[in-house]
C-alpha cells in the first residue's frame, strides 16, 4: 500500500520536526495535538525552520510554501482515521502512549502501521495493547529532526519483516539513515547516552567539577560538539529523568539510578532550555 497521508500525534519539538520532514518530502501530514495553541506554535516553528532551509538554498521558497500547505492541524484524533501511516510523538510516558495506541488501533484501518518515536519505551509492550502487534514499530528520530540523519528503527517482538522493510524504506525516502535495533530499554542511543549524562550530573552534585568544567572536558578532550550537561538541557531534564527511570526499571541495574540532583531540578521545574533554567540559565 502506498503511503501518501501521514498522521503525527504530538506537536512538540519532536512531533513538529517529524511533520516538517514528511511534508518537505511531499507527504500530506495530519498533525494532531490536544490544544490548538500547541499546533499554532508548531506551525510557527516549522515555518521558521523552513525559512532557514530556504536561506541555505536547501529548498526553494515555493517548496517551503508547498510543505506548509501539506500540513493539516487537528485536535480531533478521529481525523487520523484515513491516514496511511501514523507516528506517535507524545510525552515519554508509558500510560500516555498506551492510551494513544489503543485509540489508534480502534480508529485506523487494520493494515496501517503504527510507529512510535519513543526514545526508551518498549515497542513490544506498545504493540501488545493493540490488535496489530505485527504492525507496530519504533521510528526514533533525533533532535533537531530536520537536520539529524539517524533514525533508529526498532523491532518489537511481534514486528513483521514487512513492517520493518516499509519503515526502513520510508526513512530513506525522508533522506534519513535507518539503523536496525531490537527492542530493549533505551535501545542503543539512550542506553549508552543517558547514563553518560546521568554520571556527569553526579560529578556536579558531588562537587567534582562545575557544569561548565564537565562540559569543557568533553568538548576539548573528547571532541563532543556540546558537553553532556548542555545536551541534557537541550533534550529536557524531565525527558532525561523519564528515560533514566525506564532504564532503571527495565534493566534492574542500580547503575541506571537517576541522579538525585536531576530529580530535584525536575521537581523545581528546572527543565533546561524549554523552561529557561537547567544546568545553565537561558
Amino acid at each position: 500500500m502506498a503511503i501518501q497521508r501521514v498522521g503525527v500525534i504530538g506537536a512538540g519539538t519532536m512531533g513538529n520536526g517529524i511533520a516538517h520532514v514528511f511534508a518537505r518530502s511531499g507527504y500530506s501530514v495530519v498533525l494532531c495535538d490536544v490544544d490548538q495553541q500547541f499546533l499554532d506554535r508548531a506551525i510557527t516553528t516549522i515555518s521558521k525552520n523552513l525559512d532557514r532551509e530556504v536561506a541555505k538554498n536547501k529548498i526553494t521558497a515555493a517548496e517551503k510554501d508547498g510543505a506548509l500547505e501539506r500540513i493539516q492541524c487537528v485536535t480531533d484524533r478521529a481525523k487520523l482515521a484515513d491516514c496511511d501511516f501514523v507516528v506517535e510523538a507524545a510525552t515519554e510516558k508509558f500510560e500516555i502512549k498506551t492510551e494513544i495506541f489503543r485509540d489508534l488501533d480502534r480508529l485506523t484501518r487494520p493494515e496501517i502501521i503504527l510507529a512510535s518515536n519513543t526514545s526508551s519505551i518498549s515497542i513490544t509492550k506498545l504493540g501488545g495493547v493493540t490488535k496489530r502487534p505485527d504492525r507496530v514499530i519504533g521510528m526514533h528520530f533525533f533532535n533537531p529532526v530536520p537536520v539529524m540523519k539517524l533514525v533508529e528503527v526498532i523491532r518489537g517482538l511481534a514486528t513483521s519483516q514487512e513492517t520493518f522493510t516499509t519503515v526502513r524504506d520510508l526513512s530513506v525516502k525522508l533522506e534519513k539513515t535507518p539503523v536496525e535495533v531490537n527492542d530493549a530499554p533505551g535501545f542503543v542511543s539512550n542506553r549508552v547516552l543517558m547514563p553518560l549524562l546521568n554520571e556527569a550530573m553526579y560529578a556536579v552534585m558531588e562537587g567534582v567539577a562545575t557544569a561548565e568544567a564537565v562540559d569543557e572536558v568533553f568538548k576539548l578532550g573528547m571532541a563532543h560538539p556540546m558537553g553532556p550537561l548542555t545536551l541534557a538541557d537541550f533534550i529536557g531534564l524531565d525527558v532525561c529523568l523519564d528515560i533514566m527511570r525506564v532504564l532503571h526499571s527495565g534493566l534492574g541495574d542500580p547503575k541506571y539510578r537517576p541522579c538525585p540532583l536531576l530529580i530535584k531540578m525536575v521537581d523545581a521545574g528546572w527543565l533546561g532550555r524549554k523552561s529557561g533554567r537547567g544546568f545553565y540559565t537561558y
Side-chain angles (χ1 to χ4, degrees):
M1 182 197 69
I3 295 173
Q4 297 178 321
R5 189 172 174 83
V6 175
V8 179
I9 294 191
T13 300
M14 298 305 294
N16 73 58
I18 293 167
H20 174 143
V21 297
F22 271 107
R24 186 182 62 189
S25 298
Y27 295 91
S28 295
V29 176
V30 182
L31 180 59
C32 181
D33 211 317
V34 295
D35 195 297
Q36 186 62 43
Q37 65 173 325
F38 301 141
L39 295 165
D40 293 342
R41 188 185 308 158
I43 291 297
T44 299
T45 299
I46 293 169
S47 183
K48 287 179 180 177
N49 288 337
L50 287 167
D51 281 336
R52 290 193 186 98
E53 292 179 346
V54 172
K56 294 178 180 179
N57 295 316
K58 292 184 176 180
I59 61 172
T60 66
E63 287 170 333
K64 173 208 166 179
D65 292 341
L68 287 173
E69 288 171 4
R70 284 189 287 273
I71 301 174
Q72 174 189 1
C73 292
V74 302
T75 54
D76 180 3
R77 208 180 285 172
K79 292 184 179 176
L80 298 167
D82 61 349
C83 289
D84 305 314
F85 182 84
V86 181
V87 183
E88 168 274 318
T91 304
E92 193 70 0
K93 293 188 182 296
F94 181 70
E95 319 79 61
I96 292 173
K97 292 185 185 293
T98 51
E99 184 275 326
I100 290 171
F101 270 78
R102 287 191 184 98
D103 207 25
L104 289 175
D105 193 40
R106 177 183 63 83
L107 289 169
T108 59
R109 305 190 303 276
E111 69 272 18
I112 299 305
I113 293 171
L114 305 178
S116 177
N117 181 61
T118 180
S119 52
S120 61
I121 290 169
S122 170
I123 301 302
T124 300
K125 286 184 177 180
L126 292 177
V129 305
T130 74
K131 296 176 181 176
R132 64 182 91 184
D134 58 319
R135 293 179 180 83
V136 174
I137 194 165
M139 194 179 191
H140 181 206
F141 293 85
F142 288 74
N143 187 30
V145 179
V147 176
M148 301 294 278
K149 291 295 185 183
L150 175 63
V151 175
E152 279 185 312
V153 182
I154 303 120
R155 293 178 182 265
L157 185 63
T159 304
S160 70
Q161 181 60 39
E162 181 183 5
T163 296
F164 172 80
T165 301
T166 299
V167 174
R168 180 196 63 196
D169 294 348
L170 182 59
S171 301
V172 173
K173 289 175 184 176
L174 297 176
E175 300 182 353
K176 302 298 184 186
T177 302
V179 175
E180 180 179 355
V181 178
N182 287 320
D183 195 18
F187 316 126
V188 171
S189 55
N190 283 319
R191 182 168 179 170
V192 176
L193 173 64
M194 285 300 161
L196 167 63
L197 306 191
N198 198 53
E199 197 62 31
M201 296 170 194
Y202 270 109
V204 173
M205 185 185 78
E206 294 170 1
V208 176
T210 64
E212 292 82 358
V214 170
D215 280 352
E216 283 298 291
V217 167
F218 277 85
K219 288 191 291 182
L220 301 179
M222 289 80 170
H224 287 203
M226 66 174 76
L229 299 170
T230 300
L231 179 56
D233 275 357
F234 181 70
I235 293 168
L237 299 186
D238 52 337
V239 176
C240 293
L241 180 56
D242 285 341
I243 295 171
M244 286 307 302
R245 283 174 168 158
V246 169
L247 291 172
H248 192 210
S249 63
L251 296 168
D253 192 319
K255 72 181 179 182
Y256 297 109
R257 182 173 69 95
C259 176
L261 177 58
L262 172 61
I263 295 171
K264 285 182 180 180
M265 291 175 75
V266 171
D267 286 345
W270 298 3
L271 307 181
R273 279 184 177 270
K274 60 187 172 186
S275 70
R277 184 166 185 176
F279 284 93
Y280 299 92
T281 301
Y282 301 93

